[in-house]
Amino acid sequence: MPESTTSPDDTAAEIAEDRPARKVREGIVTSNGMDKTVAVSFTQQVSHRAYTKAVRRTKRLYVHDEENTLNVGDRVRVVETRPLSKNKRWRLLEILERAR
């Protein structure tokens, strides 16, 4: 019977090295009407395939906010995580700037 590749002595950091890096995005909170969930919009600039003109694309992410601390207008950094619900695949990493 083959032995497993990880031993109990492996640390979490060593195991995490095997996984691909998680995506990190920065955006602005656009909605906080849900319980423990906020909607965050982030914009990225991509080149149009045919015309090579820079085009802005906006994506809306559903983010897990455990303490319900975020308000509309806050700038946040979010990280990709396992599926938490039907649409929620991101969790809050840090709050960069509070809304005024």
Side-chain angles (χ1 to χ4, degrees):
M1 188 164 150
E3 294 183 23
S4 71
T5 58
T6 59
S7 67
D9 299 332
D10 287 341
T11 63
E14 291 172 348
I15 294 171
E17 288 176 5
D18 297 339
R19 275 194 267 172
R22 293 182 175 177
K23 296 176 188 171
V24 177
R25 301 283 186 260
E26 288 183 15
I28 297 176
V29 177
T30 55
S31 169
N32 65 349
M34 300 164 275
D35 185 33
K36 296 187 179 182
T37 304
V38 295
V40 174
S41 292
F42 82 97
T43 305
Q44 62 184 17
Q45 213 169 12
V46 296
S47 179
H48 192 280
R49 287 194 304 178
Y51 303 117
T52 65
K53 178 181 176 179
V55 180
R56 284 190 183 163
R57 297 248 168 101
T58 301
K59 199 82 164 170
R60 192 166 189 208
L61 311 172
Y62 290 97
V63 179
H64 185 66
D65 176 24
E66 184 66 37
E67 288 90 33
N68 281 326
T69 57
L70 295 176
N71 293 313
V72 175
D74 290 349
R75 277 193 46 218
V76 295
R77 183 173 287 140
V78 296
V79 65
E80 191 178 37
T81 187
R82 65 183 173 83
L84 299 172
S85 69
K86 178 182 174 184
N87 295 319
K88 197 167 27 169
R89 306 288 192 266
W90 299 81
R91 64 180 163 82
L92 180 66
L93 188 63
E94 64 179 312
I95 300 169
L96 299 174
E97 182 182 337
R98 290 285 187 179
R100 295 178 202 177

